[in-house]
Amino acid sequence: MLALLNPAIPAVFIEGGAGTHKSALLTDWVQAPAAELRVLVEFDQRQLTPAAVIQQLAYRLALAGVAVPELTSPSSWDALVDQIEVALDEFGGPLTLGVVRMDELPIAASKMLIEATGSMPGFRLVASAVDAQRLVTEAGAAGIGHLVIGDDDLTYDFAEVAEFLTAELPGAGDSTVRAVLDATHGNPALVERVVSLFPQECLAGTVDAEQALGGWMPERVGAREFRAQLRELSQAPRFNLELLTCMYGAERGEYLFARFPKLGVGTMSEPISGGRIFTWMPAVRRYVIQVWHADESIEQFHADRARLAECAQLSHDAELALAMLVANRDLDEAEKLCAQWLWELTDADADLVAEHFSAIDPQSFTTRPSLLAAATLLLPGRGAPSDDPELAAVQQSMLATTIGGGIREQLSTLAKAATVALGIGELGVGVRAAVRWASLILTKPESWKAQVDPELVSDGLSVVRALVQLDRIDLVSPVAAALLSALRRLPDQVGGIRSSRVSSLHTSVRMASTLLGLSRAETRSVQLAPRQYNQDFDLVMHAVIDACEALDRGDLVSAEAFTRVAMLRVASPLEWSVLIFLRAISLLALGDRDNLEVLDDQLQVSSRWQAWQYHLEAPGLFAYGLEILTAITLRRGPRSLVELLAHVKALLPGAKHRWPAWGQRLLETAILAGSGALRGLGVPTDTELEPFPPRMAWQLVLLVALVSLRAGEGATAVSVMLRGARDLRYPNAPIALVVATGEEIRDLNDWLPAKTPPVIRTSLAFAQSYVGVPVDTSHALQLGARELEVLDGVRRGLTNSAIARELFVSVNTIKFHRANLYRKLKATSREELLAEALQQGL
């Protein structure tokens, strides 16, 4: 504040935040003893004509002891300068004029006063303002030296708050001072408010920003332009700097974005996707709309929302644009927006638009599939059938519609259908739509590549996301790569936030390539730097990449950390079964039984997990893999291994759309290996291994090798490992061996011949660091695949003849296997047989 006393500065602008402390500070300074004349004036905002302003100034000068002659009906602002000049002559010394809320004066008046500081020796101006940008701009344009004192200069520091609390709250300590400062940011008006309203909370150190601002309403101040901008922005619950720049230009946008938090009307946050977002305090926003602008017409608010929608779309804020369009009931424009921005709306803030969506007649969605898809994602209850019967009927009607038209029309319809189906938990329809979409993209490139546009790219990303959630990782890389290939020729058709869309496509290719163990050269070719985290999708993709790479270098601790952090940061982690599966693998390899049980408990009690991963029409591959792991290692779960094997075998082909071609063989082999079987499904042939990607082929042959080793066939175990690992291009974690004992892992390593390729020897060596959950195999059943099938028939109460018909073998064969079961389980009756099988976890 010492700068105020420097007479070399002709103009000082005091720009404070909320409250009345500006005028109080200005009053204290202007009335302080000094050699020069100091006059403070606060003009009546209802009378801002030249005559009224000059009359008010003359009155204030007279109170200060300087009588100026009354001007006859002045009609221009030149008379204001004339009056100041007369006052200088009458006083015979320097004059400092203090103007409260000078930003509310007409532009011509404020410009005259500022320019007068440069043309009149001895005249100095000190003005307070809510919006000082215009004053600063005018001073700069006139070449007038000036100083701006902002919120940081006006706020209370630690010592000032402590001094205030000493008088108001005896016994307040340093913790109280810190709590009050944190809640109010030192704003004098708010400090006084919280101490007055929440003295006990202040003393306890628990007062917070919500108490400081809750229920507090700022004074309606600021210039007409500022209030108009405040009115426009109050229609948007939150906004970013890009929106303000689009609406008001870079300089004004940056100024407003910095000023709004300091006005005490809202808070600033930084989402994980980057940037900063200002969010109104809801009560303040309502007050601004309903009280400050109660006299505004509905048409004006409609125009404000339309402008916000336009600028929001230009600044890539699709969810705000959608909220404004729906609030205006401009549903046709909202449909166009959703068609091009559905990908960005996938993780939109539901609270921003749900209120507006809920007021729409569901029948309005029947001819607007993109808007219906967005509403399905954003309305409450995502992932489950809608509680609104009319909306549910519209959604089901869309899913039942016959898909026709050209390839481009089919692609659009399928993408929206997949989105709606997943949004209401119809996973069977969703996976069929997503797989069909992928099939058209891969088999009919000539029909769509020339028609690539932002809608197709948005649909493509939405389908890629669905494919990941539905475990069809095998389709992710080719689909994303096909889109990227088309976009290289048509980069202007990416649409949306171009960098984030391209980044997400590249990350999809890299994730699938890493998870499936494809060439490292391919995964490097799609690396983007820096990483972008625009959605939950990006978080999950990078977590899967990082976890797989950590497992492939034997870093189990990092793999566990990557999956744990991602599950904490993602809004709905149970939608991402691949992430949860990798977390279970990491915990199992580390031997962290406690956290593995916690994870399993969380899944068992989650209705969302059960509905999504055990859907009758589309059960999840990774969920079954996880159930097999827990049944083997924790000896717990809703089904025994025998029941799991029977269940997997009995699934109809239509229920396996979520499974890649290699999914069923991998699950069945895992069950057999976990049950301690001496015989499996047979050694896989080269033809059977052909559809397996490298990592999955490696896991399959490891399981087969484990079964062979237990049967005393070490040579077969080595042979199958070498053959199944021939496509490995870099070390791949042998995660299948988390179900093996330490002795079995050592035996597999010992059986490797001297000339084993280094990549296989290195990959297998990683298993030696697996702690695993100890499995007692001393009493484990040593059953073959056929014996397990017979045991399942006995469990279901079938006769020998019924089991024989089911397995297409003779009754004598069934009797032979049943006799072996009684012998191995030391049972003398069916009841003893089943009891012992249950005790063994089968």
Side-chain angles (χ1 to χ4, degrees), residues 641-695:
L641 288 173
V642 170
E643 291 172 319
L644 267 173
L645 181 62
H647 177 75
V648 170
K649 283 180 173 292
L651 285 174
L652 297 175
K656 300 174 187 175
H657 288 293
R658 282 183 71 173
W659 298 9
W662 38 267
Q664 182 163 351
R665 178 64 190 271
L666 197 58
L667 290 179
E668 291 179 0
T669 306
I671 293 172
L672 291 171
S675 66
L678 293 176
R679 291 289 186 273
L681 299 174
V683 175
T685 64
D686 290 345
T687 302
E688 289 174 318
L689 285 173
E690 188 174 342
F692 281 73
R695 187 187 296 277

Side-chain angles (χ1 to χ4, degrees), residues 558-594:
S558 293
E560 185 277 331
F562 288 133
T563 56
R564 171 168 40 84
V565 171
M567 286 187 65
L568 291 173
R569 296 173 74 179
V570 171
S572 301
L574 299 187
E575 292 182 5
W576 306 95
S577 55
V578 61
L579 176 66
I580 294 176
F581 179 77
L582 287 174
R583 172 148 181 76
I585 288 291
S586 303
L587 293 171
L588 192 52
L590 287 168
D592 190 347
R593 184 185 183 93
D594 291 341

Side-chain angles (χ1 to χ4, degrees), residues 523-534:
T523 61
R524 289 195 190 99
S525 70
V526 297
Q527 173 67 50
L528 277 189
R531 286 185 171 190
Q532 297 193 43
Y533 296 92
N534 303 288

Side-chain angles (χ1 to χ4, degrees), residues 298-316:
I298 295 176
E299 289 75 16
Q300 180 62 65
F301 288 136
H302 190 283
D304 291 342
R305 288 192 292 264
R307 187 178 181 215
L308 281 166
E310 179 184 5
C311 290
Q313 190 167 355
L314 291 173
S315 59
H316 301 153

Side-chain angles (χ1 to χ4, degrees), residues 782-802:
Q782 302 293 303
L783 303 180
R786 186 65 78 188
E787 289 169 333
L788 289 172
E789 291 173 337
V790 172
L791 178 61
D792 179 60
V794 174
R795 179 187 61 80
R796 288 183 287 142
L798 301 181
T799 64
N800 288 345
S801 298

